[in-house]
Amino acid sequence: MFHRGQLSRRTMLRNALAAGAVFAAPNIVRGAVCDVTPKQVEGPFYMNDYDRKAPMVNNNDLTQIPGAERAADGEVIYLGGQVTDIECKPVKGATVEIWQSCVTGRYAHLRDPNPAPIDPYFRYSGEFLTDEEGRYSFKTIRPGPYPIPGGMMRTPHIHFRVVALNPVLTTQMYFAGEPLNDKDILLGHVAKAEQKRLVVEPSTRPGSYGEENYYAFDLTIGSFGFSLQRDG
Ligand SMILES: [Fe+2]
């Protein structure tokens, strides 16, 4: 288990190479055809108390804490997608991290002042190594909205961070149709034309039996050694 600041660049390089990570060479920038996913702030609730106590690698089921007598509260949803570089090539061996609130809108984090109850059966974050095709998947619950200073509410969202040598992309995924989306201060910072890349419609989970509880969220990261994300 690691959290930000504990993983040295050398360790990340070793882990990534061991996992067979593929990175774009510097000279591919001229041929870029995929735009980097709009980035968003990490926020104050990265990781949590539960996940500091247990290994996280390939923990992609947030609905069930190992050994717990029951699953988390809330509507079960599935997330999945592909991580690509700016040439649209799959990035295998990248770590996709997610963290989110439980169904009440509470994070399991010491800094969360929200008085809403914690769900002790929910695992508030997870991580997954992308496969040969750069794909990842998670099973989780649809998070609740939560208050922030100033009397505002954050619309339901899931934080994403993709780590491939460097922490190259941090962003947030949103749910189409949420009434709070139009008022959300952070989503509002993204240009209108780009917001559709972060706001996801539900779709049918691949290989499932018709449930409309799947959210496909592809992520395009910058190339190793470059900061190609556009601010603003
Ligand atoms: Fe958040």
Side-chain angles (χ1 to χ4, degrees):
M1 173 56 206
F2 62 85
H3 62 80
R4 190 175 189 183
Q6 286 188 326
L7 196 61
S8 71
R9 181 185 176 90
R10 177 173 296 180
T11 300
M12 284 192 288
L13 176 61
R14 186 176 64 241
N15 291 348
L17 291 177
V22 170
F23 299 99
N27 62 6
I28 60 94
V29 173
R30 288 189 298 274
V33 291
C34 273
D35 286 335
V36 173
T37 301
K39 61 185 179 180
Q40 295 249 271
V41 296
E42 183 178 276
F45 305 130
Y46 176 68
M47 292 298 169
N48 61 71
D49 295 335
Y50 290 114
D51 289 319
R52 290 196 182 98
K53 298 173 185 172
M56 288 258 296
V57 172
N58 281 0
N59 159 39
N60 67 342
D61 183 356
L62 280 63
T63 68
Q64 182 71 52
I65 294 175
E69 64 266 33
R70 71 169 179 86
D73 289 329
E75 176 193 351
V76 172
I77 62 172
Y78 295 86
L79 313 176
Q82 187 179 37
V83 176
T84 57
D85 64 19
I86 56 172
E87 276 198 325
C88 306
K89 291 179 179 173
V91 180
K92 67 178 180 180
T95 302
V96 179
E97 303 172 346
I98 65 169
W99 64 103
Q100 64 171 94
S101 69
C102 66
V103 70
T104 68
R106 176 71 185 265
Y107 284 83
H109 199 288
L110 294 174
R111 285 201 295 270
D112 189 357
N114 187 353
I118 279 183
D119 179 357
Y121 296 102
F122 182 55
R123 194 159 191 187
Y124 289 74
S125 59
E127 69 177 31
F128 195 77
L129 281 179
T130 56
D131 66 12
E132 292 286 325
E133 296 181 338
R135 297 195 177 278
Y136 72 88
S137 61
F138 289 98
K139 179 182 181 183
T140 183
I141 59 99
R142 189 181 179 105
Y146 60 84
I148 57 175
M152 293 180 285
M153 295 289 291
R154 286 300 326 274
T155 194
H157 59 276
I158 296 176
H159 296 265
F160 275 74
R161 192 160 75 112
V162 181
V163 181
L165 286 187
N166 291 314
V168 290
L169 178 71
T170 301
T171 190
Q172 300 179 33
M173 188 205 88
Y174 299 84
F175 298 88
E178 277 290 340
L180 288 169
N181 282 354
D182 290 342
K183 301 173 184 169
D184 190 82
I185 189 169
L186 293 183
L187 182 57
H189 283 167
V190 179
K192 277 286 181 190
E194 294 282 272
Q195 285 186 15
K196 63 180 184 298
R197 300 182 65 191
L198 302 182
V199 181
V200 181
E201 296 274 358
S203 58
T204 303
R205 184 161 60 104
S208 68
Y209 300 95
E211 311 104 301
E212 291 283 329
N213 59 354
Y214 179 71
Y215 293 84
F217 188 49
D218 293 332
L219 296 143
T220 300
I221 64 174
S223 299
F224 169 58
F226 288 82
S227 179
L228 296 174
Q229 298 176 32
R230 294 170 297 192
D231 291 319

